[in-house]
Amino acid sequence: MLEPDLLAASPAGLAELGRLVRDIAREAAAGLRRRGGPLPAMSPEELTRLVDEQFPHGVVPRAGAGRDAVLALARACAETTVDLADPRAAAHLQPPSLAVAAAADVLAGIFNASVDTWDSGPYAVEIERRLVKGLCRLAGYGPESGGVLTPGGSASNLQALLIARDAAAAKVRDVRSGGLTGFGLAPLVLCSELAHFSVARACAVLGLGEEAVRTVPVDRRHRMRPEALDAALRGVDPGTRLPVAVVATAGTTDYGSVDPLHEVAAVAREHGVRLHVDAAYGCGALFSDRLRPLLAGIEEADTVTLDLHKTAWQPAAASVLLARDAADFTSSTGLRVAYLNPDDDGEAGYDGLLGLSLQTTRRADALKVAATFLALGTDGVGGMLDACHDLARHAERAVAAHPALVLTAGATLSTVVFRYATRDPAASDAVNGALRRRLLRTGHALVGRTDVAQDDGRRTVHLKLTLLNPQARTTDVDDLLDAVVRAGRAVEEEGTAA
Ligand SMILES: Cc1ncc(COP(=O)(O)O)c(C=O)c1O
C-alpha cells in the first residue's frame, strides 16, 4: 500500500514535504556546525572512504530505509560538500545561492512543470516569458526581442552560435542548419584570446570545427582590441572563408574584463558579421547602477548570454540566451511536433516554449529567478554585486600592499588575480599550485587558480579570488590572503609534495 503522502503535489504530500524540508534544514544546519571552512578538512581519498563507509551497499539499494536515510544524507552533505556561504570560499564563478531562490526552486520540484508545451506547465511558461521580457528590457533590447532559459552559459553560447551558423549558412544558400564546409567555405568565429572555452567547444559541436575559432589579442586591461578584430576581418578571403560570428566577452572568467562592446559592435556591423556577447559573468552589472556602464553597447549585440547562476545568486541552472530579434529562434530551433505543439493548438494560443530551445522537457527554472527579483528587486541583486565589487577592490589594494604577494590584475567586477612571491622565482608555478592544494586539504580556504600568458609566450600559474559572497567582510578577504601567505611559506619550507 503506497503512502498517501507519496506524491509531492498532493495535500498530504505537501504537508510531508514541509516536514521533510524543515528536518532536512535542521540536519543540514547540524552538519554545517561541524565544519571549519568551505571544504571538508580531508583529502579526496579520505572523502571517498567516508562515503564508502556511509553507503556500504551503494546509493541504489533494493529496499529503501525511509526518511532517516534522507536526513543522514542531508547532514553528511552539509558537512562535507562545498560551503559557498563560507566567506573564505572564493574560487569559482559559483555563488552561494539565495534562500529565496532555493525555496522557490522547490516549486519546480513539487509541480514538475515543463515549459516545452503549454499544457506541461502553463504558469511556468507565462513566468518565463515575462522574465525574458524583463531581462530584454534591462539589456536595452526592443519589443522584437526574445529569449530562452538554458542549462548554463556553455549551452547559451552553443545556441547563440547555432543561430549564427544557420544565419551564415542562409546567406550563402537558403538552407536550414546547413553545414558551411559543404559550400567550400571554411567558417570563422572571432573572439578574444580570453573568451571562454565553451565558444571553441560550441564550434566543435556545431560541426564548424575548433579551428574555426580565431582569437583576437587583448589590451593591457584584458579587453579585445577592436582594431585587431578589424584587421582580422579585413584579412578574410571571401572566396574561402565565411565569418559566422564575433563573440565579445562581458566579464572574462579570470579578470572580469569587458570587451569594448560599442567598438566591437561597430567593427562587426561594418563587416556584416553577427555579434554575440557572452555576459555569463558580467550580466550582474545589468542590475547595478554603478557597474551598468561597463555593459554600454550590449544592446547592439544580436544575442547575449546571461548566467543568473553566477551574478544573480541563483542555484544552478539559470542561464538565459537573449536575441535582439526573436525570429532568430524560429529559424534555428522553431519546430512543430505533432504530439507537443501542433499548428492548430498554437493558433488557438496553446503554445509553449519548445520552439525556442534545444531541450524538450525543460525545468521551470524561471520560477526561482522571478521569485528572487520579486522579493529583492533588481536593486537588491545589483547591490550584492556592488558589495562583491567593493570586496574585490579591497583585495586588490591588500594584495598590492602585501610584501609576499604580487598583483597580476585588479578588480573590474569581483575577481582579483595575483601570485604568492616565492623566494626562488623558478619555483613560483610549483609553489603557487601546491599552496592552493594545501589550502584545499585543510578545507580552511578555497581560492582559485589560473594561468597567465607572459610576454614571452610562457604561461605561469597564478591565484585568483572570485569574490561572490556579498556578506563577506574585508577582514575575511584579509584572512584569505593571510592563509595564502602562510600556506606559501609552509610549502616553501616543506616542499611542494606537502
Ligand atoms: C565567460 C563565461 N562564459 C561561459 C561560461 C560557462 O558557463 P556554465 O558553466 O554555466 O556553462 C563561463 C563559466 O565560468 C564563463 O566564465
Side-chain angles (χ1 to χ4, degrees), residues 117-290:
T117 71
W118 189 90
D119 56 350
S120 302
Y123 188 75
V125 167
E126 287 292 339
I127 294 298
E128 178 163 327
R129 285 195 177 122
R130 280 164 177 72
L131 174 64
V132 160
K133 197 175 266 181
L135 294 170
C136 282
R137 187 175 42 74
L138 286 167
Y141 279 168
E144 276 75 46
S145 57
V148 67
L149 267 64
T150 81
S154 307
S156 293
N157 287 342
L158 172 69
Q159 193 170 347
L161 287 173
L162 167 72
I163 292 172
R165 183 198 70 177
D166 288 356
K171 255 198 216 167
V172 286
R173 201 165 123 192
D174 190 16
V175 289
R176 190 158 181 275
S177 299
L180 298 175
T181 43
F183 308 119
L185 293 172
L188 188 63
V189 170
L190 296 113
C191 58
S192 97
E193 56 190 301
L194 295 176
H196 192 256
F197 66 83
S198 56
V199 173
R201 184 179 277 178
C203 289
V205 171
L206 292 168
L208 305 177
E210 287 203 14
E211 58 284 6
V213 176
R214 182 172 308 165
T215 55
V216 177
V218 294
D219 62 18
R220 288 263 160 213
R221 290 162 62 202
H222 308 103
R223 305 160 5 126
M224 187 195 284
R225 288 176 37 212
E227 74 286 359
L229 173 68
D230 186 47
L233 281 164
R234 278 186 201 291
V236 169
D237 170 7
T240 58
R241 298 216 76 165
L242 182 65
V244 169
V246 169
V247 179
T249 310
T252 56
T253 312
D254 286 337
Y255 304 104
S257 50
V258 180
D259 292 340
L261 302 179
H262 270 313
E263 289 91 328
V264 169
V267 173
R269 211 170 25 246
E270 193 189 329
H271 292 275
V273 185
R274 285 181 67 94
L275 173 63
H276 173 62
V277 172
D278 177 359
Y281 176 17
C283 66
L286 288 176
F287 318 121
S288 152
D289 290 341
R290 184 202 298 177

